[in-house]
Amino acid sequence: MTRLHAVRADITRQAVDAIIDAANSSLLGGGGVDGAIHRAAGPELLAETRTLGGCPPGEARLSRGYWLPAKHVIHTVGPVWNGGGRGEAEVLANCYRNCFAIAAREGFVTLAFPAISTGIYGYPAEPAAEIAVRETRAALAANAGWDCVTFALLSGDQLAIYEPLLDESQ
């Protein structure tokens, strides 16, 4: 049985097959979760992401985890919030779909996600969480091979948004 849960935690400390990086399109590091992952993984991560050729919004790329407890990093670029009328929801849903596609292809069984696009990209936290939980449930229904999917969230406010959504969908 797949375990799906949310915790208030530093994603860079998750000992999983892959953590998901809420990256920018260059994949060369930045602020927020992306910057924290690059700092924790060490300079080898930057060297590898330089070879990946960037990543358009909604897509995902795979790298090694280097100094992280996670074996791999799946980098995905979420949408910048522009009021919701420019396809932001579909781009965000594609982030999750493409991360799960990579995880399935690689045989990963444990994953940790941040709250993609809710930081500097400004996506409202509640609709972003609804998309995250919906797409995760869909992926888990399609592939029973995952042991644990964690939403590693930075704040108690984020956790308070995710917990009822997870309770509703159990």
Side-chain angles (χ1 to χ4, degrees):
M1 172 187 258
T2 302
R3 294 180 296 136
L4 173 61
H5 62 278
V7 294
R8 184 175 179 192
D10 179 347
I11 199 165
T12 67
R13 296 181 182 207
Q14 301 302 300
V16 293
D17 290 330
I19 60 171
I20 285 56
D21 177 13
N24 62 51
S25 60
S26 76
L27 302 181
L28 301 180
V33 169
D34 188 32
I37 289 172
H38 273 265
R39 285 188 299 276
E44 295 89 349
L45 179 61
L46 178 59
E48 183 175 355
T49 58
R50 284 187 174 149
T51 71
L52 299 179
C55 183
E59 293 187 17
R61 304 289 186 266
L62 179 64
S63 73
R64 291 179 40 208
Y66 299 101
W67 300 355
L68 294 164
K71 298 174 186 113
H72 298 89
V73 179
I74 301 173
H75 309 268
T76 191
V77 181
V80 174
W81 181 255
N82 287 298
R86 296 187 180 171
E88 293 98 308
E90 186 63 20
V91 172
L92 185 57
N94 283 336
C95 289
Y96 289 92
R97 292 173 192 147
N98 286 316
C99 287
F100 280 110
I102 288 172
R105 180 188 78 215
E106 297 295 323
F108 300 158
V109 297
T110 55
L111 303 171
F113 283 88
I116 298 168
S117 276
T118 62
I120 196 165
Y121 283 12
Y123 208 108
E126 289 185 30
E130 290 168 1
I131 291 167
V133 171
R134 181 189 75 221
E135 294 302 324
T136 299
R137 285 277 178 218
L140 296 176
N143 181 343
W146 285 294
D147 289 340
C148 183
V149 177
T150 301
F151 292 104
L153 307 166
L154 289 173
S155 73
D157 290 342
Q158 288 177 330
L159 186 59
I161 292 167
Y162 276 78
E163 285 180 328
L165 293 171
L166 294 174
D167 287 343
E168 289 172 11
S169 62
Q170 296 290 335

